[in-house]
Amino acid sequence: MDDRAPDCPLSSQESKVTHRASRVVAVEAVAAALSEQLRSTASERDRQGGTPKRERDLIRASGLLSLSIPREYGGQGADFATVLRVVRRLANSDGSLAHVYAFHHLLLATVRLYGSREQWQEAYVRTAKEELFWGNALNPLDKNTRLVEDEKGYWIEGRKTFCSGANDSDMLIVSALRGNEDKLVVMAIPTTRGGIHPLGDWDNMGQRQTDSGTVVFERVTVKPSELLVSPGPFGNTFSGLRPCIAQLILANVYLGIAEGALREAKSYTLTERRAWPASHVSHPSEDPYVLQHFGNFWLELEAARHLLESAATELDSAWQSAEALTPEQRGNVAIRVAAAKVASTRASLDVTTHMFDVMGARATTAKLGMDRFFRNVRTHTLHDPVEYKLRELGEYALSGTFPVPSFYS
Amino acid sequence: MDDRAPDCPLSSQESKVTHRASRVVAVEAVAAALSEQLRSTASERDRQGGTPKRERDLIRASGLLSLSIPREYGGQGADFATVLRVVRRLANSDGSLAHVYAFHHLLLATVRLYGSREQWQEAYVRTAKEELFWGNALNPLDKNTRLVEDEKGYWIEGRKTFCSGANDSDMLIVSALRGNEDKLVVMAIPTTRGGIHPLGDWDNMGQRQTDSGTVVFERVTVKPSELLVSPGPFGNTFSGLRPCIAQLILANVYLGIAEGALREAKSYTLTERRAWPASHVSHPSEDPYVLQHFGNFWLELEAARHLLESAATELDSAWQSAEALTPEQRGNVAIRVAAAKVASTRASLDVTTHMFDVMGARATTAKLGMDRFFRNVRTHTLHDPVEYKLRELGEYALSGTFPVPSFYS
Amino acid sequence: MDDRAPDCPLSSQESKVTHRASRVVAVEAVAAALSEQLRSTASERDRQGGTPKRERDLIRASGLLSLSIPREYGGQGADFATVLRVVRRLANSDGSLAHVYAFHHLLLATVRLYGSREQWQEAYVRTAKEELFWGNALNPLDKNTRLVEDEKGYWIEGRKTFCSGANDSDMLIVSALRGNEDKLVVMAIPTTRGGIHPLGDWDNMGQRQTDSGTVVFERVTVKPSELLVSPGPFGNTFSGLRPCIAQLILANVYLGIAEGALREAKSYTLTERRAWPASHVSHPSEDPYVLQHFGNFWLELEAARHLLESAATELDSAWQSAEALTPEQRGNVAIRVAAAKVASTRASLDVTTHMFDVMGARATTAKLGMDRFFRNVRTHTLHDPVEYKLRELGEYALSGTFPVPSFYS
Amino acid sequence: MDDRAPDCPLSSQESKVTHRASRVVAVEAVAAALSEQLRSTASERDRQGGTPKRERDLIRASGLLSLSIPREYGGQGADFATVLRVVRRLANSDGSLAHVYAFHHLLLATVRLYGSREQWQEAYVRTAKEELFWGNALNPLDKNTRLVEDEKGYWIEGRKTFCSGANDSDMLIVSALRGNEDKLVVMAIPTTRGGIHPLGDWDNMGQRQTDSGTVVFERVTVKPSELLVSPGPFGNTFSGLRPCIAQLILANVYLGIAEGALREAKSYTLTERRAWPASHVSHPSEDPYVLQHFGNFWLELEAARHLLESAATELDSAWQSAEALTPEQRGNVAIRVAAAKVASTRASLDVTTHMFDVMGARATTAKLGMDRFFRNVRTHTLHDPVEYKLRELGEYALSGTFPVPSFYS
């Protein structure tokens, strides 16, 4: 099947920028090849769940872990727009791997945003050199992990849920409440540090290979140099870009999954579906209602794609501003990202639900696993309630106000 | 949990008809108890799939297999409205069992509609007396089974897909093409007849315990008295009620599943969900968007419920007309049924998709199996394309014409 | 054109109740004839606006003003279900006249609900005998009218907006704030009473002949026997039925207008529309997308019709309970009515917007005035925000609570 | 009120292209000023209908008639993206004037696409120099105009409907059927030519000042040099861009009107609307459902804006290719334009319908004329059925095929 289907224009906007072209094409080719590899086993792995060790190693081997790291630190210097297109491309085949890959870059960005220059330079250099894979243990709503300080230093104790990609990771971004003040502290520690136990207890209806289960921390030592407190979360305007990146990653995973669903629906309809007798056409590709569905699918995804690309451009521009970022710039990014989130949520739920209307009853056989697209987006789109993103857009449209920065906005 | 939740008013219309009340209440109580039994294991059995032998025997033991059989033949003489409420009640807990239970009554009705008086009287009497469970092997779109006649008599040969409830059944309704003419013949034969092999190969994303797999027929003898050819399909107007019954069963299964989904969503939201921080309310039951979702869910199901009840009333009235049924009466039933089908399709997909928006991310754990509601309705609503039902409504609304009778209309 | 189009089954449920049949048929015939009369001039009168004096007199002459008055007081003793079907039938042709006709019955019911036995008996008897037409000046959100008491007695002073049907009325229901306490008092006074000045200033985008303008009160004397204070608003549970009646009237006006719109769309499509070239069919009645629209229109209206009929039945039963009405019964009515309101709001906006998609560009000529259907429902559906009705349904579905009685719930 | 509301980012993409910036800013400033002028009288002129002579002269005076004419021929050399932003800006205030202004550029482009170099050079030069305003009398579905050739030359005879902007125009593009062959011929003639009678009979529910009425042709002489037959319609691939331009104009008018509607809704809600009692908030700008509506409005328009801008970019690139345009390039433009058309149709109907839900009942007063936004988009979106545009998107998404060039695709 043609990998450059009209529904997956990874590099559509790149052609104009000739001096970056060859590099981008190389990234795209690598991502496309990786995506195809993931695709061939995606349905089977969805059934099994568990840690996709082999596939995580394929990502490591692809070199794409250093994609967002600036070239001066040994990385490939890609902007977020490029990274997110790779995420989408992977999500075309496998929402779980796309998610943990994307979060790897979010966690690296977290060091950049929350940490000191020394901290993020080291993180960049080591990650690029050693091909480190970052996992997540930052969850502001889960208050069962504490950072304690005694005469011997810092240590963390507790358990944390929804730790995507913690299993088989090399580094972890961890959040904990400090002392008695309930002040959230974020830190970066090696996953091999003693006392860290990812339970591998993630068993979910969707995104089944993200390992978003529990990590137990048993008196885990933390070095002062591992605390990301300067500026830390909300320490300055720039640090407030983190939720924008996180949310835009989600949007790209949703869209990527839906693009993959459309690809399967198209292929199945063209090759397997029979025309419905009452349609009086010889092939479903002439059925007026099948065409209507495909028209809607494509239009929804196309509209979402534009919103996501626009948000990525805005984000890249804000990222360039770094510590000079103004609240208004940050607000504009947040609004574009919220728009991307809402649109991709709606489009992905719609496409993954109604893809079956074009494919028909026989496409529900477990052998094909076509329901995984819905289960993946339905699970992932619940990360935080889409209604409150829409409300933020409403406040902006009506009163011109920007979302108040939080871990979700 | 209160079994008479506002979303499941099984007997709402019964109270007025006092002389039938006690009997109906008894049926309802039996159905409710059976539904609760099915509910406790529904999620686990969804995971396993396969033939729900124990639960099929619970149905047998409930006495509900004779519900639609007239009292003079040993049954309980319930009208379709009552049978369909039982179907919905079972579907609240288990879409698969509701489906095979409902099709049992459809298949009995098939003997009544396609067969001679001798044939259906015998079917009624024996089914009531021996608690026979009927299974389906009638599939007009699958043309791989033939009825052959030679000097020794009739026999069938071939294989048939989507044979819901054939496993563990006592009697089968089978369709086959006759001779070289491609004329569809329907017959009723015992499942134990030599040469009948249900493969047990149903492994699907939804409705996983309907056993809707393949049945192989290896030179299966058919007695002349088993052929339902007088009047046979389309032999008279009355026989044309069969697709109406089949479609209205589907609608009731969809609605029943969605009612069950709403019940779970309600229970989970009240007891497990936490308020979203940005909502600034203390409990999700005060969240304006959660309430909006619940309002929509309830309204959609309530509207569908009215359409289904109305269609059942119309069907019962047509059934009473029997061989005196006019094409216009039959057309009116078909239109009410089509309306019920479209409305319940839409409502059930919407509720089972957006129930997660009120329950939140933690409700996606595989332990709860909440995605089975969506998988069940998504699978079952593909029985035939809903777009063509809507088109029939359009032809009626615009030109006043009724659907041309077929196996789907 | 056939007046008993499938979309307007005024008396569908009546046929079963033979002893009431002839009376109901008579009512229906009168209503149908009146509706046809209104229809022929509806578009032209929509352009002109103003008081439809001639048409109000047609209503007077029809005898339908006494429809809801019990037979023992000289009326026709119709239940609300029948009255509301007449309202809908009138709204098929003219939303404005349907509204003022329906509010006439609401205002009579207001005397029954808020007043003493002497008050409502007199109101019933005089209205039936003298063919009085009641108009509205009750508006709880408009606080610019006060009831003052001095040595000479009571008088009212102020101005009131949205006084539908006050012009050309014989009696008025007026609300005012009493003394300094902001306590709302309701009274029934003759429109001819000195000092009452309907300004005739209603000039609106829709419902243009409802005369919902301003009434000025200049020291208008009120007799003690005209104050409806026993029980008055919220004086007992029964009095709380008033908003249920008001809201159900609105729902029936919306549905009636939409049914009328569908009738016009059907007629125009069958006789005037040409097939679109790309459809490759010879007539729009074969166009798959035209049929889809008609299917949707019909289904939405049919679903709403069931919800409205069900609410009317519930209301009639509650009305029979009179002062013995329980809060739970009242709550059940309120919920059915809210469902009817939301469903008819959505359906009527949808049909009156998309009727143009089936009729095509030429149907937008001002000569046909087809936009009046949309303008009428869009105006009228803003009576109070539909979102809060949906929220009430949500509270009921989730927590089982009933709406708190108010002037809108 | 701030003219650069977040909903109207006319020049959002311009800032990057510094060498064109000052010119574009000037265009924008002129367009914004003109739009404000139109706005102050838009509601009143909507009521009156008729030819907006004064406003057409304001357009003439603005210099914007030469906007799309290349600089070498005396124009301002703007690309379509810029012209269409001006169209949208005008439509923010007045859909009628925006339409005739936009069609002026379409008709100029028609000469470029269908005519010879001599013909379009002359049209460009004269239009720029004499500030000619072009009007439309091309309507392929209306077959009542014929081009006849006799010994004295060519002449046209007949009548044509939907001739937008013919009144008060200086030049007309006319279509007629030639001889007995029903071959459509297009020509460009001065409106002052003897025998041309615009009837001024346009009286419609929306777009009331577009003068889209009938033009009667009474033996109107046509010079051979006025026939646009080389290449003529469908004469080459490039000429096939005409419907793309026409359709993209429509999309921009829809979006512009909807942006204007949102601006009014925002202003009214902030300054006039009162909070609904049951909302328990002090101002509607805090009402969760009001915010939800505004969020949806903004998101829909933003998504449409991206699709429109993307289509304009694609169109400009195709326009640059001129006679070298490939069918694939043309197909890509057609698809982007179809997407823009469908999205803006849906968004504009939705915003102009539901703007009332945020403004409330008092906003329906005829004084404000808020229904004109709906009436305008509802009328204009019927130009050709949106369902067939969606079908084209479906054919592209499923089979990769491009729309077959026609006057509508």
Side-chain angles (χ1 to χ4, degrees), chain C residues 60-115:
Chain C
R60 283 180 170 102
S62 73
L64 291 172
L65 287 178
S66 64
L67 186 59
S68 66
I69 298 175
R71 299 176 76 77
E72 55 266 46
Y73 304 110
Q76 301 170 61
D79 55 14
F80 281 109
T82 302
V83 173
L84 291 168
R85 271 181 226 122
V86 170
V87 170
R88 222 150 77 207
R89 175 54 58 104
L90 299 186
N92 289 172
S93 296
D94 191 318
S96 291
L97 273 300
H99 177 59
V100 296
Y101 172 72
F103 261 48
H104 161 81
H105 292 288
L106 169 66
L107 298 166
L108 265 176
T110 304
V111 184
R112 171 65 189 88
L113 292 166
Y114 291 174

Side-chain angles (χ1 to χ4, degrees), chain A residues 42 57 73 92 94 142 157 163 166 172 211 227 246 253 294 305 342:
Chain A
D57 287 344
Y73 303 111
N92 289 172
D94 191 319
D142 184 343
E157 183 82 30
C163 293
L172 278 182
D211 283 313
L227 299 179
V253 173
F294 273 102
R305 210 146 34 216
V342 178

Side-chain angles (χ1 to χ4, degrees), chain C residues 8-31:
Chain C
C8 307
L10 177 68
S11 65
S12 61
Q13 307 203 353
E14 300 301 322
S15 56
K16 301 153 202 159
V17 193
T18 47
H19 68 283
R20 292 185 53 219
S22 62
R23 210 188 313 152
V24 169
V25 167
V27 166
E28 184 190 345
V30 171

